[in-house]
Amino acid sequence: MTARVAVLGAGNGGCAIAADLVRRGIECTLFDLPAFEAAVTPIREAGVLRLSGVLGDVTVTAPRITTDVRDAVEGADVLVVAVPAFAQVPFAEACAPFLRAGQVVVLTPGSTGGALAVAEALRGAGRLDGITVAETLSLPFACRKLDAISVHVSGVKHDLPLAAFPASRSGQAAEALEGIFPAGLAVASNVLETSLNSLNAMAHPVPALLNAGWIETTGGDFRFYNDGVSPAVARAMDAADRDRLAVVTALGLPAVPASEWDRRLYGLVGATTFELNRDSWVHRDIRAPKELRSRYLTEDVPFGLVPIASIARELGIATPTIDLFIDLACLLLDEDLRAAGRTAASLGLAGRTAGQMLELVEGGAG
């Protein structure tokens, strides 16, 4: 029996996922909160979604549309949550009263700590029992909305890592999601592995900060990856990635450099971070953000870099480059991004050794 799917969030990822499901003959519901009615109204009125890029240039019938959270949740076996990291807990809290045992909630992506944060929110609402909370390392697509009903997909990620909280439910989650993610899933060790390999945390903040002048002067009129990742910027990205890898290694998880993820997921070719970005066919049409205050900083610093640094401190690991870029982001945006971010404490990891952190994510005990 085919799982009933609800895609939560009508942004870049949500629209791409919903359109792809319809393209492949899988019925789904596309939901967004009433506050974001403007995101789904044009799709409902047009009755279609338009896809372009590597999935083909096609127009598909619009999925079922709703802004009624009860309608979306109760009618689904699988909830695919494709919203910014800062919206994951609010969406979980909105869904909580209507969840039922046996449902799978998958965050795509989890960013850093998404599954743990959502599980904690559901536990607080008394709705975690019987619910499988999972996360993927990244979105299944590299994609951007072109307008209210059109989304361009420039790349598809293959064998996308997935983990559930607790890890004993990862296989169940993968089985429930079979066929939903078009290029397959690979079961990871646990949600620390998926979270600490978050691609956005490594790919977005450093280039955005080191290209701050160019972004503000041109309004983002350059190719963010192909042009913005110069040899010097690439060296800074690699230094931040070494900080991240130190945390991954301390937890005994597979230490995969960010550059290697580009090769594995997209099949990109290049010996260095600079070459991978310079020559990337997946990212060649992606422009820089129009202003510095974008999700590359407002999301990927507090929900990407900040929790990595916080977990590192619990383990006694220094993250000098990551800390440097967190400080720079706070300075340039004139905002305390640490205060708004996830921390080891908010994720239930504070005061734990590496072994105890692994026990938590593998066993699920509070």
Side-chain angles (χ1 to χ4, degrees), residues 25-42:
I26 301 173
E27 292 185 7
C28 69
T29 295
L30 180 62
F31 163 83
D32 217 323
L33 293 169
F36 303 104
E37 173 81 34
V40 294
T41 295

Side-chain angles (χ1 to χ4, degrees), residues 11-21 23 49-58 139-146 150-158 182-183 266 281-286:
N12 300 315
C15 284
I17 292 166
D20 174 63
L21 289 172
R23 179 183 71 90
L49 274 171
R50 296 194 181 103
L51 271 173
S52 61
V54 297
L55 297 180
D57 295 334
V58 295
L139 271 171
F141 308 115
C143 57
R144 290 289 187 279
K145 286 183 78 172
L146 303 178
S150 305
V151 59
H152 182 77
V153 177
S154 58
V156 178
K157 299 180 179 80
H158 294 266
Y266 289 123
W281 56 269
V282 172
H283 303 100
R284 64 188 172 196
D285 295 323
I286 296 177

Side-chain angles (χ1 to χ4, degrees), residues 56 166 336:
D336 186 356

Side-chain angles (χ1 to χ4, degrees), residues 9-313:
N12 300 315
C15 284
I17 292 166
D20 174 63
L21 289 172
V22 174
R23 179 183 71 90
R24 293 187 287 121
I26 301 173
E27 292 185 7
C28 69
T29 295
L30 180 62
F31 163 83
D32 217 323
L33 293 169
F36 303 104
E37 173 81 34
V40 294
T41 295
I43 303 170
R44 181 189 289 117
E45 291 178 347
V48 298
L49 274 171
R50 296 194 181 103
L51 271 173
S52 61
V54 297
L55 297 180
D57 295 334
V58 295
T59 299
V60 301
T61 302
R64 181 173 173 272
I65 303 287
T66 185
T67 56
D68 182 331
V69 65
R70 180 171 188 165
D71 178 32
V73 173
E74 290 187 344
D77 303 306
V78 174
L79 304 175
V80 179
V81 185
V83 301
F86 50 74
Q88 289 170 341
V89 167
F91 265 72
E93 291 171 342
C95 293
F98 312 110
L99 291 170
R100 67 178 188 280
Q103 287 179 307
V104 174
V105 179
V106 58
L107 309 173
T108 182
S111 296
T112 306
L116 288 172
V118 165
E120 187 59 32
L122 295 182
R123 181 184 289 111
R127 304 296 292 187
L128 184 59
D129 287 351
I131 305 299
T132 297
V133 179
E135 67 179 25
T136 60
L137 180 147
S138 182
L139 271 171
F141 308 115
C143 57
R144 290 289 187 279
K145 286 183 78 172
L146 303 178
D147 57 42
I149 64 169
S150 305
V151 59
H152 182 77
V153 177
S154 58
V156 178
K157 299 180 179 80
H158 294 266
D159 297 322
L160 186 61
L162 165 86
F165 176 75
S168 58
R169 294 187 182 176
S170 294
Q172 174 188 345
E175 183 177 350
L177 292 164
E178 186 175 358
I180 294 173
F181 289 76
L185 295 165
V187 176
S189 304
N190 52 57
V191 294
L192 284 176
E193 181 178 345
T194 48
S195 281
L196 291 171
N197 282 288
S198 169
L199 297 184
N200 291 349
M202 293 296 105
H204 295 160
V206 173
L209 290 165
L210 295 184
N211 284 285
W214 203 4
I215 290 172
E216 292 188 323
T217 298
T218 69
D221 188 20
F222 63 94
R223 298 177 302 171
F224 184 73
Y225 299 97
N226 303 78
D227 300 328
V229 181
S230 68
V233 172
R235 286 195 294 274
M237 293 170 71
D238 288 340
D241 199 42
R242 286 193 291 272
D243 285 356
R244 177 189 68 84
L245 289 171
V247 182
V248 172
T249 299
L251 288 163
L253 298 170
V256 181
S259 57
E260 178 60 22
W261 282 120
D262 279 337
R263 298 184 187 97
R264 290 187 185 185
L265 297 177
Y266 289 123
L268 298 182
V269 178
T272 66
T273 297
F274 166 64
E275 291 176 0
L276 284 164
N277 283 274
R278 180 195 63 192
D279 301 331
S280 173
W281 56 269
V282 172
H283 303 100
R284 64 188 172 196
D285 295 323
I286 296 177
R287 313 301 288 179
K290 294 181 179 180
E291 58 183 5
L292 193 59
R293 183 174 290 278
S294 72
R295 283 175 54 188
Y296 286 180
L297 298 183
T298 61
E299 178 181 4
D300 295 327
V301 173
F303 297 91
L305 296 184
V306 168
I308 292 172
S310 180
I311 293 169
R313 283 194 295 275

Side-chain angles (χ1 to χ4, degrees), residues 292-337:
L292 193 59
R293 183 174 290 278
S294 72
R295 283 175 54 188
Y296 286 180
L297 298 183
T298 61
E299 178 181 4
D300 295 327
V301 173
F303 297 91
L305 296 184
V306 168
I308 292 172
S310 180
I311 293 169
R313 283 194 295 275
E314 293 295 321
L315 299 175
I317 296 169
T319 53
T321 305
I322 286 178
D323 292 341
L324 171 68
F325 283 105
I326 294 172
D327 289 340
L328 184 57
C330 293
L331 175 65
L332 296 189
L333 295 187
D334 192 23
E335 181 180 343
D336 186 356
L337 296 172

